[in-house]
Amino acid sequence: MTITDRMLTGAIANNPANYDGDGEWRYSIPHKSLYFTRASAADARDSEPWFPLPSLNPDGSRRMELAFQQFIQRRWPPSRRAELERFAERRGWNLAMELKYGGGALEDKEAEEWQYVVNRELQRLAQQVRQKIAEIGQG
């Protein structure tokens, strides 16, 4: 099966990148496919050549939280940043990055701006994986 951009970005976006914990998404080199595995429920393909997919937000890294804080620092006025920081103190940065209709803090336009940044990073990571797959195919 051909790996679509949607499949690849979905795996990267939802990759906990913690094999010993929640698990991780990998690319199976001989099967030319994506698969999910974890130590507590190892996949048979773990014994074959593979490489881990990057993660948009690895478990425990706070990568997206820090990126969001930098984003609002550069893009939004101090008054709005203060509102988001107060929201995050009460409910957490994970919710502060979400649309208000889902219990988050962002207005529609703000969510669009942030989603653009997230999607751009997903595309960058997916391109890295595609490049690595191409290099393996040439080897």
Side-chain angles (χ1 to χ4, degrees):
M1 174 193 295
T2 301
I3 298 172
T4 66
D5 287 341
R6 187 176 198 158
M7 290 166 59
L8 188 54
T9 57
I12 293 168
N14 295 303
N15 189 5
N18 184 355
Y19 179 75
D20 294 324
D22 291 335
E24 71 181 358
W25 279 96
R26 294 177 173 177
Y27 177 80
S28 168
I29 296 170
H31 298 275
K32 298 180 179 173
S33 65
L34 305 177
Y35 72 100
F36 189 79
T37 187
R38 65 173 66 110
S40 63
D43 190 287
R45 292 171 283 194
D46 289 351
S47 63
E48 301 170 345
W50 56 267
F51 67 83
L53 295 185
S55 177
L56 186 62
N57 199 28
D59 277 358
S61 74
R62 297 181 50 223
R63 182 174 186 250
M64 293 306 295
E65 176 184 321
L66 297 172
F68 182 69
Q69 290 171 359
Q70 291 172 359
F71 173 75
I72 65 173
Q73 192 72 23
R74 290 189 309 267
R75 300 280 306 192
W76 296 339
S79 60
R80 183 59 178 139
R81 288 194 308 262
E83 289 172 4
L84 289 169
E85 289 167 358
R86 280 192 302 276
F87 182 95
E89 285 174 10
R90 291 188 319 272
R91 311 229 10 234
W93 281 105
N94 284 342
L95 270 180
M97 293 184 269
E98 298 295 328
L99 195 58
K100 70 177 182 176
Y101 307 116
L106 300 182
E107 300 293 331
D108 290 339
K109 182 67 175 151
E110 294 169 335
E112 280 179 38
E113 288 180 48
W114 174 237
Q115 192 61 49
Y116 177 80
V117 172
V118 171
N119 287 339
R120 204 174 62 217
E121 180 63 4
L122 277 171
Q123 289 169 354
R124 187 185 72 76
L125 293 171
Q127 184 56 38
Q128 283 180 353
V129 172
R130 291 229 182 261
Q131 180 65 35
K132 190 166 187 169
I133 291 170
E135 289 169 4
I136 290 169
Q138 292 174 359

